[in-house]
Amino acid sequence: SNIKDFSVAYNSITKIPLGMFHGWRKLRKLYLEFNHLPAIEGPLLKDNAPVMEYLDLHHNRLEVLSPDNIPNTIIIEHLLISGNLLNYIPEEVLRKIRLSNLNNFANPFKCPCLENIYKMLPKRGVTVDGQNYTAVISCRNPDVPVCGYSSDEPSATSICIESVDKEIGRAS
């Protein structure tokens, strides 16, 4: 395919067919924002251009960003996942993802999980939510997006429990 920019934003899409964007070698910008995607099944991109300028998934209903969704072989300059129902980003994703900018505000993150993002990604030169964080950011900081604790997770814990907590998602 010769398509460089592709948008299906604002279409009430609830599912992306597996393999839909595989092999689009010239694809640089993929806009899937403002749909109703609860999840991405399997790899979203495979055999694509080595650098993706924009992967825009903001304002969907994503609860999980799986390690299978993002291949190791691609660099994403701007990953936009704001305004979903994400409580956490798996540590495996944080370790393997290669990107320049991450917009993840307005998700109901578990506090220790949000702190993991602020600890891990800036060390690798990633700008998170428009900031270059150099110090450890705490959820108790007024500049940090809303985050919460589940009733099963004591507020004093610093361990990110990688599970979807629908109660936190509803509270946002």
Coordinates of all heavy atoms in Angstrom, one line a residue, residues 15 31 46-47 61-62 76 78 102 105 133 145 160 167:
K15 N -13.8 -2.5 16.8 CA -12.8 -3.5 16.6 C -12.0 -3.2 15.3 O -12.5 -2.8 14.3 CB -13.5 -4.9 16.5 CG -12.5 -6.0 16.4 CD -13.3 -7.4 16.4 CE -12.3 -8.5 16.5 NZ -12.9 -9.8 16.5
Y31 N -4.4 7.4 12.6 CA -5.3 8.1 13.5 C -6.5 7.2 13.7 O -7.3 7.0 12.9 CB -5.7 9.4 12.9 CG -4.6 10.3 12.6 CD1 -4.0 10.4 11.3 CD2 -4.0 11.1 13.6 CE1 -3.0 11.3 11.0 CE2 -2.9 12.0 13.3 CZ -2.4 12.1 12.1 OH -1.4 12.9 11.8
K46 N 2.7 -4.4 11.6 CA 3.6 -5.5 11.3 C 4.1 -5.3 9.9 O 3.3 -5.1 9.0 CB 3.0 -6.8 11.5 CG 3.9 -8.0 11.4 CD 3.2 -9.3 11.7 CE 4.1 -10.5 11.6 NZ 3.4 -11.7 11.8
D47 N 5.4 -5.4 9.7 CA 6.0 -5.2 8.4 C 5.6 -3.8 7.8 O 5.3 -3.7 6.7 CB 5.5 -6.3 7.4 CG 6.0 -7.7 7.9 OD1 7.1 -7.7 8.4 OD2 5.2 -8.6 7.7
R61 N -11.7 3.3 24.4 CA -12.0 2.7 25.6 C -11.0 1.6 26.0 O -11.3 0.6 26.6 CB -13.4 2.1 25.5 CG -14.5 3.1 25.3 CD -15.9 2.6 25.2 NE -16.8 3.6 25.0 CZ -18.0 3.5 24.5 NH1 -18.4 2.3 24.1 NH2 -18.8 4.5 24.4
L62 N -9.8 1.9 25.6 CA -8.7 0.9 25.8 C -8.5 0.7 27.3 O -8.3 1.7 28.1 CB -7.4 1.4 25.2 CG -7.4 1.4 23.7 CD1 -6.0 2.0 23.2 CD2 -7.6 0.1 23.1
I76 N 8.1 4.7 17.3 CA 6.9 5.5 17.2 C 7.3 6.9 17.7 O 7.7 7.0 18.9 CB 5.8 4.9 18.0 CG1 5.4 3.5 17.4 CG2 4.6 5.9 17.9 CD1 4.4 2.8 18.3
H78 N 5.4 9.7 18.1 CA 4.3 10.2 19.0 C 3.3 9.1 19.2 O 2.6 8.7 18.3 CB 3.7 11.4 18.4 CG 4.6 12.5 18.1 ND1 5.0 13.4 19.1 CD2 5.3 12.9 17.0 CE1 5.8 14.3 18.6 NE2 6.0 14.0 17.3
L102 N 5.2 10.4 24.5 CA 4.0 9.7 25.0 C 3.0 10.6 25.6 O 3.4 11.4 26.5 CB 4.4 8.6 26.0 CG 3.2 7.9 26.7 CD1 2.5 7.0 25.7 CD2 3.7 7.1 27.9
F105 N -2.1 11.3 29.5 CA -2.9 11.9 30.5 C -4.4 11.5 30.4 O -4.8 11.0 29.4 CB -2.8 13.4 30.6 CG -3.0 14.1 29.2 CD1 -4.3 14.5 28.8 CD2 -1.9 14.3 28.4 CE1 -4.5 15.1 27.6 CE2 -2.1 14.9 27.1 CZ -3.4 15.3 26.8
Y133 N 10.6 14.8 32.4 CA 10.7 14.6 33.8 C 12.1 14.1 34.1 O 12.6 13.1 33.5 CB 9.7 13.6 34.3 CG 8.3 14.1 34.2 CD1 7.4 13.7 33.3 CD2 7.9 15.1 35.1 CE1 6.1 14.1 33.2 CE2 6.6 15.6 35.0 CZ 5.7 15.1 34.1 OH 4.4 15.6 34.0
P145 N -1.5 13.9 36.5 CA -2.9 13.5 36.2 C -3.6 12.7 37.3 O -2.9 12.2 38.2 CB -2.8 12.7 34.9 CG -1.5 12.9 34.4 CD -0.6 13.3 35.5
C160 N 3.3 -1.6 41.2 CA 2.3 -1.5 40.2 C 1.7 -2.9 40.0 O 2.4 -3.8 39.5 CB 2.8 -0.9 38.9 SG 1.6 -1.0 37.5
E167 N -13.3 -0.4 38.7 CA -13.8 0.6 39.6 C -13.0 1.9 39.5 O -13.6 3.0 39.5 CB -13.6 0.1 41.1 CG -14.6 -1.1 41.4 CD -16.0 -0.7 41.2 OE1 -16.5 0.3 41.6 OE2 -16.8 -1.5 40.5

